[in-house]
Amino acid sequence: MMAAAALLLPALCALVLPRHWAPAAQPTRHAPRVGASPRCVFSGIVEEIGEVVRLEKRGDLTLWDGSVGEGVEMEVAASTVLEGAYEGCSIAVNGVCLTVTKFDDKTACFGLAPETLRRTNLHAAGPGTLVNLERALPADGRNSGHFVQGHVDDVGVIESMTPDGEALTVRIRPPAHLMKYIVPKGFICVDGTSLTVCEADPGKGWFDFMLVAYTQQHIALPKKKVGEQVNLEVDVMAKYVERSVGALVDRVAELEAKLAALEGSS
């Protein structure tokens, strides 16, 4: 599945890019990446751990029509992900694709939509909260994780964190509606981190994964406590398969019903 996705993404980009397109020279830090390789997705490979400076409701945000209205703004302290940043670029914060509204050398600000606050754990962030950060991945860039959209499906709850040698086994209880997309050895994105599912128990409603020592040192998850929430994004390809197969199953069921009716009338 991963190999197919790797072949599909360049093909899709080839359809939308002009024939004369070529990567441009590296832009200055504050300039938009005009003509540069399009940034389509994330990889789930966390670049750095940032720290929330503030999360507040503001009444002086400029809206699409130039008027002023209310909204929620988050400011995050960072360094690596600010390299090459520009207003309007995308950065994943705990796996949530957010748009940079303004930034300087030390922090970046993001607007949080009501859907983001409802569906993710960012609503509970406050000053000092540690968050995983990743810049959007160039379409022709190396992907060491899996294709992550930054569209969080829901939140899960940490049930246990158990050391296993140098590794750490983490068990998560996701919402019931996501369990059908989570399979052993499949991909799962947890707080923006690309991980491989070890075991999944649909009957009991949990799955787990292991964090090696290096990963433990470079993401925020090990610093969380049992009972805290994590953002979950399941492999989108599982959803596409479900939609495609679902249409076929419905059609087969319809044909079987007609056949049964014909047999009953004969």
Side-chain angles (χ1 to χ4, degrees):
M1 183 179 292
M2 186 65 177
L7 292 173
L8 179 60
L9 184 60
L12 291 174
C13 290
L15 293 175
V16 299
L17 294 175
R19 293 180 179 275
H20 63 273
W21 176 86
Q26 182 69 24
T28 59
R29 182 178 176 281
H30 293 275
R33 297 175 61 86
V34 177
S37 176
R39 293 180 173 256
C40 301
V41 292
F42 301 93
S43 67
I45 302 300
V46 175
E47 294 188 271
E48 69 172 315
I49 300 175
E51 183 174 329
V52 175
V53 176
R54 60 183 175 85
L55 177 68
E56 62 181 7
K57 192 170 187 177
R58 297 183 53 182
D60 59 347
L61 297 179
T62 302
L63 306 182
W64 64 273
D65 59 356
S67 62
V68 175
E70 285 189 347
V72 175
E73 184 176 71
M74 171 183 281
E75 184 176 6
V76 178
S79 56
T80 301
V81 298
L82 298 178
E83 296 174 6
Y86 56 90
E87 290 186 5
C89 73
S90 296
I91 294 177
V93 180
N94 267 5
V96 184
C97 179
L98 297 177
T99 300
V100 174
T101 57
K102 58 185 177 182
F103 70 102
D104 55 29
D105 293 334
K106 296 181 179 180
T107 67
C109 293
F110 311 88
L112 302 186
E115 172 72 357
T116 301
L117 295 169
R118 286 191 295 264
R119 194 173 288 261
T120 77
N121 61 12
L122 294 185
H123 71 275
T129 299
L130 300 180
V131 289
N132 295 325
L133 302 176
E134 181 194 356
R135 289 169 291 188
L137 183 73
D140 58 353
R142 179 175 178 175
N143 190 336
S144 296
H146 73 282
F147 290 110
V148 175
Q149 295 179 294
H151 303 162
V152 171
D153 292 296
D154 215 323
V155 295
V157 177
I158 300 174
E159 281 205 334
S160 64
M161 303 176 77
T162 308
D164 187 354
E166 55 85 28
L168 182 67
T169 299
V170 183
R171 177 177 290 188
I172 304 294
R173 179 168 297 277
H177 69 93
L178 291 184
M179 276 304 305
K180 60 183 176 180
Y181 303 116
I182 304 172
V183 296
K185 311 313 173 189
F187 288 119
I188 186 76
C189 186
V190 180
D191 270 353
T193 306
S194 174
L195 297 166
T196 301
V197 177
C198 291
E199 300 294 339
D201 189 328
K204 295 182 179 178
W206 59 261
F207 72 92
D208 63 15
F209 52 84
M210 276 190 173
L211 301 176
V212 298
Y214 180 89
T215 304
Q216 293 174 45
Q217 297 164 12
H218 290 82
I219 66 173
L221 181 58
K223 300 174 179 61
K224 288 193 170 185
K225 299 177 180 179
V226 171
E228 289 194 59
Q229 291 183 332
V230 290
N231 291 330
L232 301 176
E233 180 187 329
V234 299
D235 190 352
V236 69
M237 292 190 180
K239 296 180 183 178
Y240 288 135
V241 170
E242 179 188 46
R243 177 66 61 85
S244 299
V245 174
L248 177 61
V249 169
D250 291 342
R251 180 58 176 159
V252 170
E254 180 183 348
L255 293 174
E256 288 181 339
K258 289 182 178 179
L259 178 60
L262 289 174
E263 291 177 343
S265 62
S266 61

